[in-house]
Amino acid sequence: MLTPEQYGDGLYDKDEVLERVTQSIVDSGMRDVSIAPGYGRLLTLLVKLAGAKAVLEIGALGGYSGICLARGLPADGRLLSLELKEENAELARANLREAGFGQVAEYRVGPALDSLQTLEQRGERFDFFFIDADKENYPNYLEYAIKLAKPGALIAGDNILLRGRTLNEDKNGPSVQAMRRFNEMIARDGRLISTLLPAYDGLALAMVK
């Protein structure tokens, strides 16, 4: 019997561009932890619906989510992606270029918190945020996203269930505790309107008031 996710994904034709990205990640020896296809489609839809022109992505990996985000941008849109590892940023940059978004995407390599501090100091603002990086810093990334947000900006955070560990009371490692704090912040912070989606590995969605 199919899962709801498998059923939904099966309704769509294979995305050859994203299939190539997935293969490039495998070929590079990276662990493929890209966003699930269904949520990738959701990112494109949300960026388009929000009319976002400036998107900030925290965690690039091989560019899968970057392509999904860029697909929702207008011709004059901008995607800024923060990535810790140079090799990941290089692969993502190449994949975005091959997908036709080379002129849209910009990559900054190094610890994301350093880049976020710089962006705050420069007074930069964004319409959309996608968080999919080291889990222990999710609460910090969320706080920065709120600071850097234009009114009405959307924030999406992936992997909020950590393959079930978030729900398991016996699991209390640093990543699990940080994700629980992040989810609680999403749900209870008075600056946000939000919801949590449980499909795949979970996705948090919030709008900054």
Side-chain angles (χ1 to χ4, degrees), residues 176-191:
V176 174
Q177 292 186 47
M179 189 58 74
R180 287 175 183 151
R181 286 197 301 274
F182 173 82
N183 292 340
E184 289 166 3
M185 289 170 66
I186 286 282
R188 299 173 184 172
D189 195 304
R191 296 169 292 179

Side-chain angles (χ1 to χ4, degrees), residues 71-91:
R71 284 173 170 175
L73 285 169
D76 60 346
R78 171 196 181 205
L79 168 66
L80 176 58
S81 184
L82 310 182
E83 172 56 47
L84 178 63
K85 298 180 180 179
E86 178 65 43
E87 60 268 29
N88 291 7
E90 283 299 321
L91 181 61

